[in-house]
Amino acid sequence: MTAPRAIMIHIASLRQLLLRRVGNSWVLRHWGPRLLPRLDRQVHHWTNGRWMPSRLLAPVLILHTIRRDGTPCRTPLLTGRTATGDYIVMATNFGRTRHPAWSYHLLHNPYAAIDWHGRTLPVQAHRLSPQEQQAARPHILTWMPCFDDYAHRSQRDVRVFTLTPLPRTADASKPTSSPWTT
């Protein structure tokens, strides 16, 4: 193994450790749901979608959904990319016992939009089955090392969705194969 590769592996493992410790800290679990989404949305607006404070630790996107009453909802979410280019989001709600509102919005209407590095993309959500979620688990843990801790703490089945980018003009259908197969 070459020295630069060994350094990169070491940095990745330190990042995993940092994310797990920060994600499980009382401060983040208590104040994160109250402060981080507001701060991320405001900075996202000020920088025209180019940056958010949460991106210092992990990749984050803004999910645009529609509430049942028809009003828009913008939610910053930690995300990861699959090999097929889909985005994956986890409805952990910081380990709380209730599902986050945005996951209900996607179950009600799977068509949404995301802001990703200054671009707005239309997407279609697909909730992963328990088997798909289990297959995706190693990938999820690379982006969110505290996922299992949040799932255990919440005492519920955490919803996991893939967000498939849609062509702007064509009608897209639900993905037919799992992006986790190699």
Side-chain angles (χ1 to χ4, degrees):
M1 185 181 313
T2 63
R5 178 151 169 82
I7 291 171
M8 293 303 294
I9 290 172
H10 182 68
I11 289 172
S13 63
L14 287 176
R15 181 185 166 278
Q16 295 276 322
L17 179 64
L18 176 68
L19 284 174
R20 189 161 187 183
R21 287 216 175 143
V22 168
N24 284 316
S25 70
W26 178 87
V27 172
L28 184 73
R29 285 185 290 119
H30 182 74
W31 290 107
R34 293 167 175 82
L35 298 176
L36 279 179
R38 290 179 182 155
L39 181 63
D40 280 342
R41 279 191 296 265
Q42 190 61 50
V43 172
H44 183 263
H45 175 73
W46 289 339
T47 63
N48 293 322
R50 290 185 302 271
W51 192 75
M52 288 180 277
S54 293
R55 285 193 184 145
L56 291 172
L57 291 175
V60 178
L61 58 77
I62 297 280
L63 176 68
H64 297 265
T65 56
I66 302 294
R67 294 182 181 100
R68 288 186 185 220
D69 65 2
T71 59
C73 179
R74 293 180 14 218
T75 310
L77 299 173
L78 187 132
T79 189
R81 297 290 301 265
T82 67
T84 60
D86 294 345
Y87 300 85
I88 185 164
V89 291
M90 296 72 62
T92 59
N93 204 15
F94 291 89
R96 294 171 162 179
T97 56
R98 296 183 59 151
H99 292 289
W102 65 263
S103 70
Y104 289 104
H105 301 162
L106 288 180
L107 292 174
H108 180 68
N109 179 6
Y111 294 98
I114 60 170
D115 286 344
W116 180 251
H117 296 285
R119 295 183 341 176
T120 301
L121 306 168
V123 294
Q124 182 178 9
H126 166 68
R127 183 177 176 190
L128 297 183
S129 69
Q131 295 81 15
E132 292 171 319
Q133 190 170 332
Q134 190 60 32
R137 188 174 167 276
H139 300 287
I140 292 170
L141 291 175
T142 62
W143 305 310
M144 186 177 194
C146 55
F147 176 79
D148 288 341
D149 303 322
Y150 280 4
H152 178 73
R153 187 176 297 116
S154 70
Q155 298 179 351
R156 61 178 166 83
D157 291 329
V158 173
R159 296 172 180 160
V160 178
F161 295 88
T162 57
L163 304 175
T164 305
L166 299 173
R168 292 196 182 266
T169 56
D171 181 31
S173 61
K174 190 163 106 177
T176 56
S177 63
S178 171
W180 308 110
T181 57
T182 55

